[in-house]
Amino acid sequence: MVSVYYGDMPEAIYNPAVYFKNTYDGSWITDELSREMIKDVDKSEVLGPRIIDSPVLGGISPRELSGGVKTLILMNQVPDKIFNASACGDNCAKWILRIGESKDITINLRHLMDFGDGEFALKVLNTDQIVHNMKELVPIAGMLVR
């Protein structure tokens, strides 16, 4: 399940891109879920642990992936850490939920992310409530995000 804390959270890693740059492992990039996320979010194809084919930039290293994809990979590979998911765009929301289907993760948000029109389970740590859709989430998150 995905648990989210809205607002300042001292223990959260505020700049996931810097954390990724200094900790990632090549096996994280070739992981099947990482390949899918990179293809969907960055429209790029993983060729190997150190090379990704970007339609815009050509051959790039994992360090040149978007901040959103780096954050998603970290959430999946380092689930015991809390990452600032506001480094992700709304196009990452479905992937956050998918990661949460297979493992418990906690994320920090400083904005209202759009998790889509479907049903989901998300625990808001600030209020200890579980929400199941955006209609339930918006009023709660709206009071917490300023």
Side-chain angles (χ1 to χ4, degrees), residues 99-135:
I99 293 165
E101 290 172 3
S102 63
K103 59 186 72 170
D104 291 333
I105 61 170
T106 299
I107 64 172
N108 178 230
L109 278 172
R110 292 145 195 260
H111 77 286
L112 179 57
M113 181 174 273
D114 185 355
F115 287 97
D117 296 330
E119 294 288 312
F120 53 82
L122 187 82
K123 183 173 185 176
V124 179
L125 295 173
N126 308 64
T127 61
D128 200 33
Q129 291 174 278
I130 295 177
V131 297
H132 302 94
N133 53 50
M134 288 303 293
K135 186 176 181 179

Side-chain angles (χ1 to χ4, degrees), residues 9-87:
M9 187 179 197
E11 63 269 35
I13 296 169
Y14 181 74
N15 192 333
V18 171
Y19 189 90
F20 181 90
K21 175 183 169 186
N22 291 291
T23 63
Y24 84 91
D25 183 273
S27 66
W28 296 2
I29 308 306
T30 57
D31 174 80
E32 188 55 39
L33 184 59
S34 293
R35 288 177 180 271
E36 291 177 42
M37 294 185 298
I38 291 166
K39 184 141 187 96
D40 180 56
V41 177
D42 282 3
K43 312 298 184 227
S44 300
E45 185 176 343
V46 174
L47 301 177
R50 287 185 225 102
I51 187 78
I52 296 150
D53 184 25
S54 164
V56 176
L57 303 171
I60 63 170
S61 78
R63 291 178 176 200
E64 297 167 283
L65 289 167
S66 69
V69 167
K70 290 176 189 173
T71 305
L72 290 171
I73 292 170
L74 287 168
M75 288 175 193
N76 187 46
Q77 295 294 330
V78 193
D80 58 315
K81 300 280 186 197
I82 301 169
F83 295 98
N84 172 20
S86 288

